[in-house]
Amino acid sequence: MTEETTEAGGAATEGTNGTGEASAEEAGAAGKASAEETGTGKAAAGETAPRRRGRPSRKAAADGPDARTRILEAARTEFAERGYDKTSVRGIAKAAGVDAALVHHYFGTKDGVFAAAVELTFEPALVLPAVLDGPPEGLGERLAAFFLSVWEDPGTRTPLLAILRSAVTHEAAANVLRDFVLRRLLERIAAELDVPDPTLRAELAASHMLGIVMLRYVVRAEPLASADPAEIVAMVAPTLQRYVAGR
């Protein structure tokens, strides 16, 4: 090999790789990049890919209630402990173990999840048949008995007290309570009996029972706070009967 050929080969090598040291660095960088790409691909194809925003994990769905039920249960607790004003959609989502976007997906706004939590407490599908079935002359007694039974149960009394307190201070909570208790419960009961002025009658019945609730469970005025529920039902039933049945 001639000297010119040797110099030409060396020049070609330098043109491609630079110095020998630079070539090793470039190879190392390329290997590192390749390893990172391989690692990224492995993570992407791994068993625990990141779950989509707003979706509960499959394990959570399999091991417990569905996401909507968990949200409602968390909402009842949050509203009961914090009141309407201090409860947030983000706080409900955190307590339920879901993303806040999922709360908005199911219920829209805080008012929406509040209304659903109220409905969960009352369960109107069970309430109406229990109150309406039976002789018309016993409607007032059944209504009073059901209403007090809900408030006597600590499991339902706590969230209901939060709802009642919130309704006194927050218009949105008042709207929810008014819409649900009056229009979805008492007005439907009165409408089933085909009596005149069902809305007025429903509101009078509600005012009577909510007044009892305030004195018995919130103010705890005696002797009403300690009176036997059966005694209260017996005394209140005739008035409720006159309100909702017209006699």
Side-chain angles (χ1 to χ4, degrees), residues 31-44:
K32 182 178 179 181
S34 177
E36 289 176 350
E37 290 175 0
T38 302
T40 303
K42 182 179 179 180

mmCIF file of all heavy atoms in Angstrom, residues 31-44:
data_model
loop_
_atom_site.group_PDB
_atom_site.id
_atom_site.type_symbol
_atom_site.label_atom_id
_atom_site.label_comp_id
_atom_site.label_asym_id
_atom_site.label_seq_id
_atom_site.Cartn_x
_atom_site.Cartn_y
_atom_site.Cartn_z
ATOM 1 N N GLY A 31 -26.142 3.674 22.079
ATOM 2 C CA GLY A 31 -26.586 2.510 22.867
ATOM 3 C C GLY A 31 -27.509 2.914 23.991
ATOM 4 O O GLY A 31 -28.502 2.254 24.287
ATOM 5 N N LYS A 32 -27.185 4.057 24.624
ATOM 6 C CA LYS A 32 -28.036 4.541 25.725
ATOM 7 C C LYS A 32 -29.417 4.911 25.218
ATOM 8 O O LYS A 32 -30.441 4.597 25.819
ATOM 9 C CB LYS A 32 -27.375 5.738 26.383
ATOM 10 C CG LYS A 32 -28.148 6.295 27.555
ATOM 11 C CD LYS A 32 -27.415 7.460 28.190
ATOM 12 C CE LYS A 32 -28.203 8.029 29.357
ATOM 13 N NZ LYS A 32 -27.515 9.183 29.967
ATOM 14 N N ALA A 33 -29.428 5.624 24.071
ATOM 15 C CA ALA A 33 -30.719 6.000 23.486
ATOM 16 C C ALA A 33 -31.536 4.782 23.133
ATOM 17 O O ALA A 33 -32.744 4.723 23.340
ATOM 18 C CB ALA A 33 -30.489 6.870 22.243
ATOM 19 N N SER A 34 -30.836 3.762 22.575
ATOM 20 C CA SER A 34 -31.543 2.529 22.219
ATOM 21 C C SER A 34 -32.107 1.849 23.440
ATOM 22 O O SER A 34 -33.218 1.335 23.433
ATOM 23 C CB SER A 34 -30.572 1.597 21.480
ATOM 24 O OG SER A 34 -31.189 0.365 21.185
ATOM 25 N N ALA A 35 -31.327 1.849 24.533
ATOM 26 C CA ALA A 35 -31.808 1.225 25.775
ATOM 27 C C ALA A 35 -33.012 1.959 26.318
ATOM 28 O O ALA A 35 -33.971 1.365 26.814
ATOM 29 C CB ALA A 35 -30.672 1.211 26.810
ATOM 30 N N GLU A 36 -32.978 3.326 26.237
ATOM 31 C CA GLU A 36 -34.111 4.095 26.732
ATOM 32 C C GLU A 36 -35.353 3.822 25.902
ATOM 33 O O GLU A 36 -36.471 3.707 26.431
ATOM 34 C CB GLU A 36 -33.777 5.583 26.694
ATOM 35 C CG GLU A 36 -32.744 5.980 27.750
ATOM 36 C CD GLU A 36 -32.360 7.447 27.623
ATOM 37 O OE1 GLU A 36 -32.745 8.063 26.610
ATOM 38 O OE2 GLU A 36 -31.720 7.941 28.529
ATOM 39 N N GLU A 37 -35.164 3.736 24.591
ATOM 40 C CA GLU A 37 -36.312 3.444 23.742
ATOM 41 C C GLU A 37 -36.880 2.069 24.050
ATOM 42 O O GLU A 37 -38.095 1.863 24.100
ATOM 43 C CB GLU A 37 -35.888 3.516 22.279
ATOM 44 C CG GLU A 37 -35.584 4.929 21.802
ATOM 45 C CD GLU A 37 -35.043 4.949 20.387
ATOM 46 O OE1 GLU A 37 -34.913 3.851 19.815
ATOM 47 O OE2 GLU A 37 -34.777 6.038 19.878
ATOM 48 N N THR A 38 -35.953 1.109 24.286
ATOM 49 C CA THR A 38 -36.408 -0.243 24.629
ATOM 50 C C THR A 38 -37.165 -0.235 25.943
ATOM 51 O O THR A 38 -38.215 -0.861 26.105
ATOM 52 C CB THR A 38 -35.205 -1.191 24.732
ATOM 53 O OG1 THR A 38 -34.505 -1.169 23.489
ATOM 54 C CG2 THR A 38 -35.652 -2.606 25.052
ATOM 55 N N GLY A 39 -36.641 0.533 26.920
ATOM 56 C CA GLY A 39 -37.323 0.619 28.219
ATOM 57 C C GLY A 39 -38.691 1.241 28.088
ATOM 58 O O GLY A 39 -39.657 0.825 28.710
ATOM 59 N N THR A 40 -38.767 2.316 27.251
ATOM 60 C CA THR A 40 -40.062 2.959 27.047
ATOM 61 C C THR A 40 -41.054 2.008 26.428
ATOM 62 O O THR A 40 -42.220 1.927 26.824
ATOM 63 C CB THR A 40 -39.889 4.185 26.133
ATOM 64 O OG1 THR A 40 -38.940 5.057 26.727
ATOM 65 C CG2 THR A 40 -41.214 4.907 25.932
ATOM 66 N N GLY A 41 -40.596 1.252 25.446
ATOM 67 C CA GLY A 41 -41.485 0.280 24.813
ATOM 68 C C GLY A 41 -41.941 -0.771 25.780
ATOM 69 O O GLY A 41 -43.085 -1.206 25.788
ATOM 70 N N LYS A 42 -41.032 -1.182 26.685
ATOM 71 C CA LYS A 42 -41.389 -2.191 27.686
ATOM 72 C C LYS A 42 -42.445 -1.672 28.633
ATOM 73 O O LYS A 42 -43.389 -2.368 28.987
ATOM 74 C CB LYS A 42 -40.134 -2.596 28.449
ATOM 75 C CG LYS A 42 -40.382 -3.672 29.486
ATOM 76 C CD LYS A 42 -39.085 -4.046 30.186
ATOM 77 C CE LYS A 42 -39.313 -5.114 31.237
ATOM 78 N NZ LYS A 42 -38.063 -5.482 31.926
ATOM 79 N N ALA A 43 -42.292 -0.378 29.036
ATOM 80 C CA ALA A 43 -43.286 0.200 29.945
ATOM 81 C C ALA A 43 -44.627 0.305 29.257
ATOM 82 O O ALA A 43 -45.675 0.089 29.852
ATOM 83 C CB ALA A 43 -42.807 1.572 30.405
ATOM 84 N N ALA A 44 -44.567 0.679 27.959
ATOM 85 C CA ALA A 44 -45.831 0.837 27.233
ATOM 86 C C ALA A 44 -46.539 -0.479 27.075
ATOM 87 O O ALA A 44 -47.763 -0.545 27.030
ATOM 88 C CB ALA A 44 -45.545 1.449 25.863
#
